Amino acid sequence: MKVGQRRIGRERVGSMAKRINCLKCKHYYVTWDAKFPKGCRAFGFKTNQMPSVAVLRSSGSPCLKFDAKDSPIKPGQNGYYV
């Protein structure tokens, strides 16, 4: 295995730069279920790991329903509301 690659289950995943961050997706939500605290509204499931990892493990391809959240912070604000 090359440097920058990881194995998830039996599938080989490329560099970490291609990994989908569910925290920045519109469809990600936090559940009240202690055993399954993370969920995906687009696919309609709850899991104990990041939903994008569950999708990758089950289908073998990265999540195709990722949709970035709309950010209320403009680039020039540096995280502060003016």
Side-chain angles (χ1 to χ4, degrees):
M1 197 168 6
K2 296 179 182 178
V3 175
Q5 289 184 339
R6 297 179 5 161
R7 275 191 192 268
I8 297 180
R10 293 184 179 180
E11 295 90 19
R12 184 177 289 175
V13 179
S15 78
M16 295 300 288
K18 295 181 182 178
R19 189 170 179 182
I20 295 172
N21 185 359
C22 292
L23 297 175
K24 295 182 179 181
C25 181
K26 287 182 181 179
H27 306 295
Y28 174 79
Y29 70 102
V30 177
T31 71
W32 288 95
D33 191 347
K35 292 182 182 179
F36 304 107
K38 301 171 182 92
C40 177
R41 287 191 178 98
F43 285 110
F45 69 92
K46 297 186 287 188
T47 182
N48 60 355
Q49 57 193 1
M50 286 303 260
S52 62
V53 174
V55 169
L56 180 64
R57 284 184 178 176
S58 64
S59 68
S61 62
C63 180
L64 300 175
K65 295 195 177 189
F66 175 80
D67 191 13
K69 290 181 183 178
D70 297 327
S71 176
I73 300 172
K74 296 176 185 169
Q77 289 179 335
N78 297 328
Y80 298 102
Y81 290 103
V82 182

